[in-house]
Amino acid sequence: MKKIILSLLMLTSFSAYKANAQMGAAQKVKWDIEKEADINMELDAVWDVFQNNELLKKASDGYVSAIEVIDANMPISRKIGFSNGGNRLENITQNEAHNKLIAIDFVDSNLPKGIKAAQYAIFFKANGSKTNVKWRALVSGDSDAKQALVKQLTAEFDSYAAGLEKMTKKSIPAVRMN
């Protein structure tokens, strides 16, 4: 009986040791792009813009010319058309209304030459009557291709920040009619 108890004790201690040995230390993600903007809109209004392709296109301030959903099932596949004539296929892998988070991966077959993987995430957080929007992107590939894609994504994120801000401006009539 003593041997059985000792064997069970050793077995459980080894399995606990093995489980702990497999756990790696959490690593902080080093983003290639971090863009942040405070938008003068309520959180739900900004979230709604990112859920509506026509509003999202308008929010791009002319940078995006078309957004076409290819497959509406998760992961949501869509094709983004740019005003310069280019396009991108991407998959929305997370769209969490409760966390106000959208995560997007580039489709591997559509990656620019020299890029191995690319993804970005958009985080939304209420900041009083404003909304803080953060765009963060990770790009892996050779340095020249990575630098070009980082530049393109930075311009895209900048255009969304500018377009969202323009959407908050109220129009004032130029002439009063009597």
Side-chain angles (χ1 to χ4, degrees):
M1 182 71 166
K2 205 177 197 185
K3 285 184 179 182
I4 293 173
I5 293 174
L6 186 59
S7 297
L8 286 173
L9 204 59
M10 287 180 62
L11 184 62
T12 57
S13 65
F14 282 133
S15 59
Y17 173 76
K18 186 177 179 183
N20 287 336
Q22 291 177 352
M23 298 227 7
Q27 295 180 0
K28 185 173 177 158
V29 174
K30 183 178 180 325
W31 300 96
D32 295 307
I33 303 170
E34 290 191 65
K35 168 71 180 168
E36 190 171 345
D38 285 321
I39 308 301
N40 194 22
M41 272 195 237
E42 295 285 336
L43 176 61
D44 288 336
V46 175
W47 178 257
D48 288 345
V49 168
F50 280 82
Q51 301 307 306
N52 180 313
N53 288 338
E54 286 304 310
L55 291 176
L56 187 57
K57 188 172 83 171
K58 181 179 178 182
S60 78
D61 199 28
Y63 197 85
V64 171
S65 61
I67 301 173
E68 175 189 353
V69 174
I70 296 168
D71 185 355
N73 297 316
M74 286 301 280
I76 299 168
S77 297
R78 66 183 186 181
K79 181 178 180 180
I80 308 292
F82 299 101
S83 58
N84 68 2
N87 63 59
R88 173 176 71 228
L89 295 175
E90 58 186 29
N91 292 322
I92 299 173
T93 57
Q94 290 179 277
N95 191 2
E96 300 180 8
H98 59 284
N99 290 323
K100 300 296 191 249
L101 158 72
I102 301 170
I104 299 171
D105 288 343
F106 286 34
V107 174
D108 289 344
S109 62
N110 191 242
L111 289 171
K113 186 177 179 177
I115 299 295
K116 295 178 184 170
Q119 62 246 0
Y120 65 97
I122 310 165
F123 304 88
F124 306 84
K125 185 176 179 183
N127 185 9
S129 63
K130 293 184 177 190
T131 301
N132 179 266
V133 182
K134 288 182 188 173
W135 291 267
R136 293 179 171 167
L138 284 173
V139 178
S140 63
D142 70 48
S143 66
D144 289 341
K146 180 177 177 175
Q147 187 178 23
L149 186 54
V150 165
K151 184 178 177 182
Q152 176 189 337
L153 286 172
T154 300
E156 184 177 342
F157 300 159
D158 287 344
S159 72
Y160 279 115
L164 285 165
E165 194 56 43
K166 284 182 182 178
M167 290 175 79
T168 67
K169 305 292 183 210
K170 295 186 173 49
S171 64
I172 301 171
V175 177
R176 184 174 174 189
M177 304 293 275
N178 287 334

